[in-house]
Amino acid sequence: MAIQQFPGVVLGPLGKRMVKFLETYPRADELRITSGMDGDHGLQSHHYGLSYDGSPTAAIDIGCDRDDVKMRDFAKWMYDRYWNYTVELIHSTPFADDDGFYVKNQQKFPGGGPYGPPSSIGHFDHIHWATSADLMTQLEQLAGGSAPDRVHPEITGTPVASVTATVANTAPVWGWDASDYDFARGPMNMVAAHTDGISFFIYKTSEGSDWRSQHYQEVLERARDAGIPVLGSYHFLWPGDIAEQVDFWVSCVDEQTPWWKERPWIWQVDAEQSTNAPRPPSADEVLRAVELTKQRLADRGAPGYVIGYTPFWMYGDSLTGDYDIWASNYNGSGAPRPFKEQYQGVGDHAAGWNVMSGRKPTILQFASDGVVGNQHTCCVDKFDGDLYDLIRKCGREPQPAAAARAVSVARSRPAGRRQPATSPIMVPDADGAHLPVR
């Protein structure tokens, strides 16, 4: 039987598979799907799609007619049978004869474990369940059929490019681009950066055809877990062997951050002069790098925003093609200080935004010594548009993050009953410093 879904609930492909699997519960008619990708679940959550062990994740919330016993029975069924196929299971009960039902990363935690005590966890009025695409496939096979046999045709047929990005729209849109060099200049605290207003972040992944970043994977995972909406990678392009470099770059991203396919993602071709290279890449070489990168994304069936860091001071009006330009011009930014203060001296009509090679830059790097959160001396950027414009350039369709669910599942509780809370947000240690490594 089909499980009832509350109005306003939004499910992605994996969420729909999870709901379909729950039809195997003996009393599936008691279940109600109260939330999926909709609602406010904090800065980052499996509800909006993260990854686990290299596989994309999803989360759904399940209610049972506001009945404590029915909810406990269902949570226990999941806890006893499918804990090892679960990324998160969270349900607190008012009963003295159980320890609640909590699973984190395929491990049981009676009493709450990493989530804390039930008094702070909440989740009395629903069950939170998150899993990954790989674990879901195992569950489907366990239930007697492969994914294509068990799910509805419209679920398996959903293209990657249609996956939504659930986030509130903002403007202006601030960015930070960094590399291993930045580890010598601060703790690379991405939570502080997001809190300070950073909405997109990219990191140097590779250079030429054989140099890999030491910290790329670590920092991108921090940025993802901090909830920065748009992430990305950049490759420092050398002249010659363009196809070999693009293949090397894309393979580095695939290997270290395979979850990029599930996020709004920027691919920046950084075309400058290296002190070790005989010359900067030519305009034709930059165009070829952009076109080949777009082709590699198409081959993978995943969207992305390919842009060239091709500043006017290097290329003037010599660029060919019609790809978007990431420019740089620090006029007006002044002394090192918080990046928003620096941009006040630049403004939206600064020379850095002037048309070059027939098009206006889409992103401007306006300072290289800005303060972002508790990180000093950052390269900071502004996107020409709002956040939804940037997400659409990444090939995703933004979906507003609702301030509240369309249908509330809150209800009055007996005296002493704890109030529900959203899933805890697991973020990097805000004070964790790292050794400076180039």
Side-chain angles (χ1 to χ4, degrees):
M1 63 160 294
I3 294 174
Q4 181 180 333
Q5 180 175 308
F6 278 21
V9 170
V10 178
L11 298 174
L14 179 54
K16 293 178 181 178
R17 290 170 62 184
M18 294 165 69
V19 173
K20 183 64 179 175
F21 171 77
L22 294 184
E23 293 177 10
T24 63
Y25 180 55
R27 304 201 302 274
D29 60 312
E30 298 176 352
L31 305 183
R32 309 287 183 262
I33 308 304
T34 63
S35 185
M37 297 172 69
D38 52 287
D40 183 1
H41 301 281
L43 293 177
Q44 63 89 25
S45 169
H46 290 293
H47 277 282
Y48 307 137
L50 299 174
S51 69
Y52 172 69
D53 199 22
S55 179
T57 60
I60 58 175
D61 289 342
I62 306 107
C64 297
D65 290 334
R66 301 182 178 181
D67 187 294
D68 294 329
V69 174
K70 291 178 180 178
M71 286 188 290
R72 178 177 66 175
D73 289 350
F74 170 68
K76 188 176 187 303
W77 183 76
M78 291 292 297
Y79 185 82
D80 289 344
R81 290 169 173 79
Y82 304 118
W83 60 272
N84 54 333
Y85 300 95
T86 291
V87 176
E88 289 180 342
L89 182 70
I90 307 174
H91 180 57
S92 305
T93 81
F95 305 111
D97 58 349
D98 67 56
D99 294 315
F101 304 95
Y102 312 104
V103 176
K104 180 72 174 179
N105 296 344
Q106 300 177 278
Q107 184 176 350
K108 292 181 176 181
F109 290 98
Y115 302 116
S119 58
S120 62
I121 297 170
H123 288 73
F124 287 95
D125 64 352
H126 69 281
I127 301 95
H128 169 87
W129 177 42
T131 191
S132 70
D134 288 348
L135 292 174
M136 190 67 243
T137 298
Q138 296 176 39
L139 274 174
E140 289 162 341
Q141 293 170 344
L142 188 69
S146 64
D149 293 334
R150 288 194 47 77
V151 301
H152 302 297
E154 67 270 19
I155 298 174
T156 57
T158 302
V160 173
S162 71
V163 175
T164 59
T166 307
V167 65
N169 199 8
T170 58
V173 181
W174 306 108
W176 173 17
D177 59 282
S179 69
D180 285 354
Y181 182 67
D182 290 276
F183 268 75
R185 306 194 290 194
M188 296 300 288
N189 185 330
M190 306 313 297
V191 175
H194 189 208
T195 301
D196 204 14
I198 294 299
S199 293
F200 66 97
F201 174 80
I202 71 169
Y203 198 87
K204 182 177 179 179
T205 311
S206 49
E207 179 174 342
S209 57
D210 58 3
W211 184 91
R212 294 171 178 254
S213 163
Q214 182 176 354
H215 295 288
Y216 163 74
Q217 178 177 344
E218 175 187 356
V219 179
L220 262 294
E221 288 176 351
R222 286 194 208 175
R224 175 199 64 192
D225 294 345
I228 295 177
V230 179
L231 303 176
S233 159
Y234 78 86
H235 173 82
F236 196 103
L237 190 70
W238 278 50
D241 300 321
I242 302 301
E244 181 180 359
Q245 292 187 66
V246 170
D247 287 340
F248 174 64
W249 176 25
V250 176
S251 69
C252 288
V253 174
D254 278 343
E255 177 184 336
Q256 297 179 69
T257 51
W259 45 267
W260 73 265
K261 302 179 187 68
E262 305 300 325
R263 303 296 294 263
W265 197 267
I266 298 172
W267 298 79
Q268 185 208 78
V269 176
D270 184 356
E272 300 177 76
Q273 171 74 64
S274 169
T275 56
N276 298 316
R279 59 174 176 83
S282 69
D284 288 343
E285 287 172 323
V286 177
L287 176 60
R288 177 162 169 75
V290 168
E291 291 177 340
L292 283 175
T293 304
K294 290 180 179 179
Q295 183 59 54
R296 298 300 182 267
L297 304 189
D299 293 343
R300 285 159 173 76
Y305 179 31
V306 184
I307 185 171
Y309 179 74
T310 50
F312 184 81
W313 50 263
M314 174 69 72
Y315 290 95
D317 288 315
S318 69
L319 298 174
T320 55
D322 61 356
Y323 56 85
D324 283 356
I325 292 173
W326 190 316
S328 63
N329 187 313
Y330 305 156
N331 290 339
S333 61
R337 61 192 189 280
F339 72 93
K340 293 177 185 177
E341 294 180 21
Q342 287 183 314
Y343 192 77
Q344 291 177 6
V346 177
D348 292 343
H349 302 287
W353 290 112
N354 288 349
V355 171
M356 58 176 291
S357 298
R359 62 264 202 198
K360 180 185 178 183
T362 308
I363 297 176
L364 174 65
Q365 183 186 89
F366 60 87
S368 62
D369 54 5
V371 176
V372 175
N374 53 12
Q375 184 86 9
H376 294 253
T377 323
C378 300
C379 291
V380 282
D381 314 274
K382 184 177 183 290
F383 170 73
D384 185 29
D386 61 33
L387 181 56
Y388 281 7
D389 292 332
L390 179 57
I391 289 172
R392 289 189 177 100
K393 281 185 173 290
C394 295
R396 307 284 172 172
E397 184 57 35
Q399 174 189 303
R405 298 178 186 173
V407 177
S408 173
V409 295
R411 62 189 178 88
S412 300
R413 295 180 174 82
R417 185 71 174 274
R418 304 292 196 269
Q419 294 296 314
T422 56
S423 305
I425 300 171
M426 308 302 288
V427 297
D429 184 354
D431 299 317
H434 295 263
L435 293 176
V437 179
R438 176 67 187 263

